[in-house]
Amino acid sequence: MNNLLGMTMEELKQFAAEMGEKPYRGKQIFIWLNRGVRSFDEMTDLPKALREKLKSCAQIGGCSAVYVQEDESDGTRKILFESEAEPEADTFEGVFMKYSYGNSLCVSSQVGCRMGCRFCASTLGGLVRNLSAGEMLGQVLEAERVTGEKVGHIVIMGMGEPFDNYDNVAKFLRLLHEGKGRGMSWRNMTVSTCGLIPKIEQFAEDFPQVNLAISLHRLTDEGRTSIMPVNRKYPLEELLQAAQDYTEKTHRRITFEYALIDGENDTDEDVQRIIRKLGGMLCHVNLIPLNKVEETGFDGTSRQRAREIAGVLEAAGIPATVRRQLGSRIDGACGQLRRRQG
């Protein structure tokens, strides 16, 4: 069975031609898919005979919400999805968030993760599988159906390491940008990585207008390796050089994510290391008090301390903010909801 969601317009034109139809039918199908239709019968400008033919050889292949948590205080929804393309496969998560500039969805790129960051719930149990571009797009469409609101910004910061699934993530970004589809601006998309240097270099070539976020969390090799095993392969200084090269090539500011862990990386000495390492770079530091995950043994820094750190960084000339606390009454950490519902 062919899964149509996730195909490009050109792929759908080819698919239509292989069915003995005019290629423009593929364009029509593409437009309908990106409107979030749930069945071929909703594609009302297609002949009935073609709709019946599609039912016999294809499926839309998106996602269905199997569980939704809502924080009524701020409208955040955490959604547990299952794949319609692979309904027996493991579930995965997305988070719908409301901001003054519009609605954003945090999208998962993998089920689980193999990066092994010690503070992260997503990596508990390792990597199960990569998500397809259609399954990522399906998260957006299903989130809009669940909430009744449009998603205007995408952050690929959910379960998984996006650059460990680079080809599918790249296709997803291009699908979002396609004018006959969602027509989303490149600058409304953000991809986060724990530091896969070769893919950072490729990303600068392929998507110079898409926002890049790099998870740092510690500013010494010993400290970073202790909580992020990826640092063994891609050490801190090499990563910071790759970040510098990225900003010089794209002229875009990098966001450095820094999860504040109580007693681990929030001391005055840690803050001074941030200043020494990042001073003068075209960057922004996003301070994130860690969501507590019982299995990891780590707890988050207080928001008061996070604000103090942001003030010290700002005074040193490094733009810094404390991530707004959304969804505090629901399972906030990536991978938490999946584990609770599993």
Side-chain angles (χ1 to χ4, degrees):
M1 191 71 75
N2 294 283
N3 295 309
L4 303 189
L5 191 67
M7 286 190 182
T8 65
M9 188 186 297
E10 291 307 312
E11 287 171 337
L12 282 166
K13 287 180 178 179
Q14 179 64 30
F15 177 70
E18 290 170 356
M19 294 176 63
E21 302 288 336
K22 296 291 186 183
Y24 76 87
R25 295 296 186 192
K27 176 181 176 181
Q28 291 175 301
I29 294 169
F30 181 86
I31 292 170
W32 280 113
L33 291 173
N34 282 273
R35 290 178 184 172
V37 299
R38 307 279 293 174
S39 73
F40 295 120
D41 287 330
E42 296 177 69
M43 300 181 180
T44 52
D45 60 355
L46 300 183
K48 185 174 181 181
L50 174 54
R51 283 180 266 161
E52 293 302 317
K53 193 187 297 185
L54 286 168
K55 292 177 190 177
S56 69
C57 68
Q59 60 183 356
I60 290 175
C63 299
S64 296
V66 296
Y67 189 80
V68 180
Q69 286 184 334
E70 181 176 1
D71 187 335
E72 295 181 357
S73 68
D74 58 27
T76 300
R77 273 90 148 193
K78 189 151 196 181
I79 307 169
L80 192 66
F81 299 104
E82 68 176 9
S83 171
E84 293 177 357
E86 296 191 45
E88 301 304 314
D90 287 70
T91 54
F92 44 95
E93 302 173 5
V95 183
F96 173 87
M97 299 164 286
K98 299 174 74 70
Y99 291 96
S100 59
Y101 55 76
N103 299 325
S104 181
L105 185 71
C106 183
V107 173
S108 289
S109 56
Q110 296 177 311
V111 179
C113 183
R114 63 174 176 169
M115 295 296 110
C117 298
R118 289 180 54 216
F119 51 84
C120 181
S122 293
T123 199
L124 298 171
L127 176 66
V128 177
R129 69 181 181 92
N130 288 330
L131 294 178
S132 69
E135 289 168 325
M136 285 180 256
L137 181 57
Q139 293 172 59
V140 181
L141 299 173
E142 181 68 354
E144 290 184 334
R145 188 187 72 80
V146 166
T147 63
E149 300 188 47
K150 284 293 182 185
V151 171
H153 296 76
I154 295 294
V155 291
I156 310 181
M157 296 183 183
M159 294 171 59
E161 162 54 56
F163 285 173
D164 193 35
N165 186 19
Y166 188 90
D167 290 345
N168 283 316
V169 167
K171 188 174 187 181
F172 169 53
L173 295 175
R174 293 186 176 107
L175 286 168
L176 288 175
H177 186 65
E178 169 59 51
K180 294 295 182 182
R182 300 190 62 85
M184 186 179 290
S185 167
W186 295 124
R187 297 197 177 199
N188 286 8
M189 310 174 199
T190 301
V191 180
S192 175
T193 179
C194 67
L196 305 189
I197 292 174
K199 296 303 182 184
I200 292 173
E201 295 167 350
Q202 185 176 352
F203 189 72
E205 292 284 345
D206 295 343
F207 299 101
Q209 295 301 307
V210 176
N211 302 303
L212 177 64
I214 296 177
S215 297
L216 281 183
H217 310 319
R218 294 295 290 267
L219 269 299
T220 67
D221 270 322
E222 181 181 4
R224 194 165 188 268
T225 299
S226 72
I227 59 171
M228 300 180 71
V230 70
N231 196 73
R232 295 191 186 99
K233 186 168 185 179
Y234 302 114
L236 179 64
E237 291 303 324
E238 293 179 22
L239 177 59
L240 293 177
Q241 184 59 56
Q244 185 70 50
D245 294 344
Y246 171 89
T247 60
E248 290 175 2
K249 185 176 187 63
T250 65
H251 306 291
R252 301 298 309 283
R253 182 179 73 170
I254 283 182
T255 294
F256 287 115
E257 296 173 302
Y258 196 93
L260 288 164
I261 307 170
D262 187 35
E264 282 283 325
N265 64 353
D266 61 352
T267 67
D268 290 344
E269 186 179 2
D270 290 312
V271 177
Q272 290 304 311
R273 285 197 191 98
I274 296 173
I275 293 170
R276 289 197 300 271
K277 295 290 187 181
L278 304 186
M281 288 187 66
L282 182 60
C283 70
H284 170 264
V285 176
N286 188 18
L287 298 167
I288 311 164
L290 185 74
N291 280 303
K292 186 175 179 63
V293 178
E294 295 295 338
E295 296 94 328
T296 68
F298 290 122
D299 205 349
T301 302
S302 71
R303 295 192 70 80
Q304 179 179 348
R305 174 59 178 159
R307 289 190 289 269
E308 290 173 1
I309 293 172
V312 174
L313 295 179
E314 286 279 350
I318 298 175
T321 52
V322 179
R323 179 181 286 179
R324 179 181 161 203
Q325 189 174 26
L326 293 173
S328 60
R329 300 177 185 178
I330 57 181
D331 292 315
C334 293
Q336 241 180 351
L337 180 58
R338 171 177 169 251
R339 292 184 65 81
R340 292 190 194 280
Q341 294 300 311

